Amino acid sequence: MIYPGPDSNGALTTETSEDVPTEEALPDADRDREEPTDDQPLIDELGSDVEVHGAEVEEDPDEEDLLGGLKINSTEEIEIPDRLVDQVIGQEHARDVIIKAAKQRRHVMMIGSPGTGKSMLAKAMAEMLPKEELQDVLVYHNPDDGNNPKVRTVPASKGEQIVDAHKEEARKRNQMRSFLMWIIIAVVLGYALIIAGQILLGIIAAGVIWLAFRYMNRGSDAMIPNLLVNNADTKTAPFEEATGAHAGALLGDVRHDPFQSGGMETPSHDRVEAGAIHTANKGVLFIDEINTLDIRSQQHLMTAIQEGEFSITGQSERSSGAMVQTEPVPTDFVMIAAGNLDAMENMHPALRSRIKGYGYEVYMEDTIEDTPEMRRKYARFVAQEVANDGRLPEFTAEAIEEVILEAKRRAGRKGHLTLLFRNLGGLVRVAGDIARSEEAEYTTREHVLQAKGRSRSIEQQLADDFIERRKDYELQVSEGYVVGRVNGLAVMGEDSGIMLPVMAEVAPSQGPGEVIATGQLKEMAQESVSNVSAIIKKFSDENISEKDIHIQFIQTGQQGVDGDSASITVATAVISALEGVGVDQSLAMTGSLSVRGDVLPVGGVTHKIEAAAKAGCDRVIIPAANEQDVMIEDEYEEMIEVIPVSHISEVLEIALEGEPETDSLVDRLKSITGSALNEQGVANPSNPSPQ
């Protein structure tokens, strides 16, 4: 990184004898820099193994113990680390990168889902950067060119002293001028009244003298510098969050002056305003959703990173401030850019190259392995949320266990815990609010259970509303057998399951036969229908080239259908329609499908199973590869039977009506697909990433 140095005009220098008070004139606090103490570990001493303190831990905790062996009664027995970097949970790799980046002053780009701790890590870096290097920035009037103000940097806390010294000098100068002005006015009025006898002429002359002295005083005030960046009271390295900032707030600006002449104008250096890149000097500049910055701002940001300095000018082309451009202002900051996976698509490639070339790129994980150590840290997370809020009752051990159990459910993978802490923290706060409204001494497990219902997402509320409406209008069928109709399952948002019926009908074609699917299907869903049609064409004994196969996804709404998790649903519906065999309506299903008939894993199985139970279904079919991911609530375990399958033939055996007809269809499908099926079942297919 290039550090700013002095130029030919003397800008960006540290201090001069005539501007800055001598060391003897400074208070002791400014002369003595704070040194690290024994209870403030250096960056080198920090690591990833941050244990939970303040509570006794069993040596060999039971695997079923949700607290990971912690022997506590409530969160008040858990100590909270002072440093933010020690409060980060689950992102060990990102945490280590931040520690190294702080030590070496490297830029970092963090990519991952919202709520995984990106902003917390950025603030943690600001805490670890040294405060001793902080600077104040002053902007001076340039007598040679008023539209090119001069810039000077001085050590932190000295900027206020310089400005105060200039103000005191200007005040004394103005007092002398005012005294001289009143003497001259008195002489003029006395001469006009006593000697000349022209009192009106004397009053006019006195007014002219008063205006002249006022103009001179304005010139004196213009010599007072503008304290652009003031770090006198800053206890840690600056942290500036510039997410969504407009150009002026990010890059600095010059205010518009409606009075540009006649002695009433504001001096240009007084109208200069610092941007986030300038106030973050010697600290951290954090920009989330980096791709939302316009390309011009990204280009300027790239220049500030490369050069370590950036001039301030008016951002509005029609403003008088656009004529003003300061000398370069220091921008020696560490940049942390963050965003979702799509952030890299619209990010300026040169800006990303600067970050990658002078720093690190980090992917933030969504889940982490469920271990006793991590469970203890999740208990500490609950304690941290209670402490940070400051208004919530402490959580009992049973309440903490319920939060950790919810973290397991939201992970969507067996043996993992979710790292989406913002949403999980929302559950903690809602539970605490419920306990506080009841004036309870502690937040209990019952309060957490209530919070699960009250903190439902908008998608979950809509899904529940859809289910109720379908019951009212008999759009939902959960008993009997119907030809060509299958209860499919889908996910709305991230954590909301809904039952999605699929209907199929076969009709004579007016031309070449085709498969027609309706219901706002998106690209991946259209591809899954094409894969299913390959199996259907091989399965049918009839010549379907003269038939149209219509597939309808019922009540998908404007959002449409995305993903391929309805593949086995579509295949079952079409085969039922072709063969005229009914489908069990007390059964729901979800699963992807290969062209050979293997059932592949999908995402969101837990929420889909719960949606089927809410809709009144007795059984649900899921891919065998997803069996380990099922974490349904206790209230649904007795309501529904979960059936894992590995091949479409197993789906048909379970779903279709009538044993002879079903056995014939299954045997035919087995011979066509050529899968290695045996009497015991099908071997699990390869397990790609869930869809």
Side-chain angles (χ1 to χ4, degrees):
M1 179 173 292
I2 301 175
Y3 291 87
D7 61 11
S8 59
N9 295 325
L12 295 178
T13 58
T14 57
E15 54 190 270
T16 63
S17 59
E18 59 186 24
D19 286 332
V20 184
T22 61
E23 185 175 353
E24 290 75 9
L26 295 177
D28 293 341
D30 290 329
R31 289 202 305 267
D32 300 330
R33 291 293 179 186
E34 182 181 354
E35 297 295 335
T37 59
D38 294 337
D39 59 345
Q40 293 177 333
L42 299 173
I43 295 177
D44 293 335
E45 300 173 3
L46 294 173
S48 294
D49 299 328
V50 180
E51 292 293 338
V52 177
H53 299 288
E56 186 179 352
V57 181
E58 295 180 5
E59 293 184 2
D60 188 17
D62 188 354
E63 292 184 0
E64 300 298 324
D65 185 2
L66 288 173
L67 294 180
L70 275 181
K71 296 180 178 180
I72 58 173
N73 294 318
S74 69
T75 51
E76 59 188 347
E77 300 176 29
I78 302 176
E79 293 182 7
I80 308 300
D82 294 330
R83 289 172 173 260
L84 276 177
V85 71
D86 296 332
Q87 295 181 19
V88 176
I89 297 173
Q91 302 288 354
E92 272 75 14
H93 172 61
R95 184 175 178 275
D96 288 343
V97 167
I98 288 295
I99 293 173
K100 294 174 184 176
K103 181 179 178 181
Q104 302 294 336
R105 294 188 62 83
R106 305 296 189 195
H107 304 298
V108 180
M109 182 165 71
M110 294 185 288
I111 299 298
S113 303
T116 50
K118 297 187 287 290
S119 60
M120 188 175 182
L121 284 167
K123 293 178 181 178
M125 175 183 273
E127 286 187 354
M128 291 185 287
L129 292 177
K131 177 180 180 294
E132 288 76 10
E133 299 180 0
L134 298 185
Q135 297 174 328
D136 291 343
V137 179
L138 297 162
V139 181
Y140 288 84
H141 172 68
N142 187 348
D144 298 327
D145 183 0
N147 286 329
N148 185 25
K150 290 183 174 295
V151 174
R152 175 164 295 159
T153 60
V154 297
S157 77
K158 292 187 178 180
E160 288 184 342
Q161 300 173 30
I162 294 173
V163 172
D164 290 342
H166 277 276
K167 287 182 177 179
E168 180 63 20
E169 183 180 351
R171 186 184 65 81
K172 293 179 179 179
R173 192 161 46 240
N174 290 340
Q175 282 183 342
M176 291 297 297
R177 286 176 179 170
S178 296
F179 181 71
L180 179 61
M181 177 189 69
W182 289 114
I183 291 177
I184 295 175
I185 289 176
V187 171
V188 170
L189 289 176
Y191 176 82
L193 179 62
I194 299 172
I195 299 176
Q198 298 288 334
I199 184 61
L200 180 60
L201 182 61
I203 293 174
I204 294 174
V208 172
I209 294 170
W210 183 82
L211 289 174
F213 272 87
R214 283 295 301 269
Y215 185 79
M216 293 170 63
N217 287 344
R218 287 182 58 82
S220 176
D221 293 340
M223 300 307 295
I224 300 174
N226 175 17
L227 184 54
L228 191 67
V229 178
N230 183 7
N231 285 314
D233 298 326
T234 305
K235 297 181 180 179
T236 61
F239 174 80
E240 291 293 333
E241 183 169 356
T243 303
H246 58 80
L250 177 65
L251 308 171
D253 206 348
V254 180
R255 296 192 306 273
H256 175 69
D257 184 11
F259 304 104
Q260 301 181 40
S261 60
M264 300 181 66
E265 69 276 4
T266 303
S268 59
H269 75 284
D270 271 343
R271 294 186 282 122
V272 176
E273 294 181 340
I277 62 174
H278 307 108
T279 53
N281 184 44
K282 301 299 182 183
V284 174
L285 177 69
F286 175 66
I287 303 180
D288 202 357
E289 304 299 337
I290 183 69
N291 56 312
T292 60
L293 283 181
D294 62 72
I295 294 298
R296 181 172 173 270
S297 294
Q298 292 190 45
Q299 290 173 332
H300 289 319
L301 187 60
M302 177 176 57
T303 302
I305 292 174
Q306 181 70 23
E307 302 298 331
E309 57 185 25
F310 192 83
S311 298
I312 299 177
T313 187
Q315 295 299 322
S316 175
E317 297 178 353
R318 297 184 179 182
S319 169
S320 62
M323 299 183 295
V324 179
Q325 184 169 2
T326 69
E327 292 178 344
V329 180
T331 57
D332 179 23
F333 55 81
V334 174
M335 179 175 173
I336 297 186
N340 302 325
L341 285 174
D342 60 351
M344 296 181 290
E345 298 178 3
N346 297 326
M347 187 176 177
H348 198 294
L351 176 58
R352 183 183 177 189
S353 176
R354 294 289 195 283
I355 297 174
K356 189 175 182 180
Y358 297 97
Y360 301 89
E361 289 187 343
V362 180
Y363 176 72
M364 306 291 288
E365 298 289 343
D366 290 341
T367 63
I368 192 168
E369 187 177 355
D370 182 11
T371 64
E373 179 188 3
M374 287 309 304
R375 293 181 182 183
R376 294 193 293 270
K377 290 184 178 181
Y378 272 69
R380 194 190 71 199
F381 162 75
V382 178
Q384 289 173 186
E385 292 297 306
V386 172
N388 292 335
D389 188 276
R391 296 170 295 178
L392 304 179
E394 299 289 347
F395 276 56
T396 64
E398 293 76 13
I400 299 173
E401 289 177 348
E402 193 61 37
V403 173
I404 296 174
L405 186 61
E406 182 66 13
K408 292 167 64 70
R409 290 185 68 252
R410 295 188 181 189
R413 298 174 60 189
K414 185 178 181 180
H416 283 74
L417 296 165
T418 182
L419 290 177
L420 302 180
F421 285 111
R422 183 175 295 128
N423 294 339
L424 197 63
L427 175 65
V428 172
R429 284 182 285 276
V430 172
D433 289 342
I434 294 173
R436 188 164 179 256
S437 66
E438 297 177 358
E439 298 183 354
E441 183 178 359
Y442 291 96
T443 304
T444 65
R445 179 176 180 270
E446 287 68 27
H447 294 135
V448 177
L449 293 175
Q450 291 181 50
K452 287 184 180 181
R454 296 189 186 183
S455 61
R456 295 178 304 162
S457 65
I458 295 296
E459 290 84 359
Q460 185 61 61
Q461 295 177 46
L462 286 172
D464 292 344
D465 184 59
F466 286 163
I467 291 174
E468 291 301 319
R469 290 191 179 189
R470 286 175 178 173
K471 288 181 179 178
D472 293 341
Y473 294 98
E474 297 184 356
L475 295 175
Q476 194 162 279
V477 181
S478 57
E479 59 183 18
Y481 289 85
V482 178
V483 174
R485 186 189 188 282
V486 181
N487 291 321
L489 297 169
V491 172
M492 297 176 62
E494 298 179 355
D495 59 352
S496 309
I498 187 171
M499 199 158 79
L500 188 69
V502 175
M503 293 187 179
E505 189 63 63
V506 179
S509 174
Q510 301 297 323
E514 57 181 338
V515 177
I516 303 169
T518 59
Q520 299 283 348
L521 271 65
K522 298 183 180 179
E523 184 176 356
M524 187 177 291
Q526 290 280 6
E527 291 176 356
S528 71
V529 172
S530 300
N531 292 339
V532 170
S533 65
I535 296 177
I536 302 304
K537 290 175 182 177
K538 294 183 66 176
F539 172 84
S540 179
D541 288 335
E542 302 180 22
N543 182 12
I544 62 173
S545 62
E546 298 179 355
K547 298 181 179 180
D548 288 337
I549 300 176
H550 295 265
I551 303 169
Q552 181 182 11
F553 289 78
I554 305 297
Q555 288 189 326
T556 57
Q558 296 180 349
Q559 293 81 12
V561 179
D562 195 8
D564 60 349
S565 63
S567 297
I568 65 170
T569 308
V570 172
T572 304
V574 173
I575 292 174
S576 169
L578 281 171
E579 302 295 328
V581 179
V583 178
D584 186 2
Q585 298 302 298
S586 66
L587 174 75
M589 62 182 68
T590 182
S592 182
L593 191 63
S594 74
V595 293
R596 297 296 302 273
D598 296 315
V599 179
L600 305 178
V602 295
V605 288
T606 295
H607 307 296
K608 293 176 180 178
I609 293 171
E610 292 178 353
K614 291 178 184 178
C617 293
D618 299 326
R619 298 181 297 166
V620 60
I621 292 176
I622 66 169
N626 282 127
E627 187 176 7
Q628 61 181 357
D629 301 330
V630 177
M631 288 285 297
I632 62 175
E633 296 276 11
D634 295 340
E635 61 182 294
Y636 300 115
E637 289 185 355
E638 301 296 329
M639 296 173 59
I640 194 163
E641 177 187 359
V642 180
I643 306 173
V645 298
S646 300
H647 194 267
I648 184 62
S649 60
E650 298 177 66
V651 178
L652 297 181
E653 283 183 320
I654 298 167
L656 297 183
E657 178 183 17
E659 292 185 5
E661 296 86 348
T662 301
D663 292 342
S664 174
L665 296 176
V666 171
D667 291 341
R668 190 193 320 163
L669 189 60
K670 286 180 181 180
S671 63
I672 292 172
T673 56
S675 294
L677 297 172
N678 51 44
E679 294 180 358
Q680 284 74 29
V682 187
N684 285 347
S686 59
N687 188 358
S689 299
Q691 302 297 322

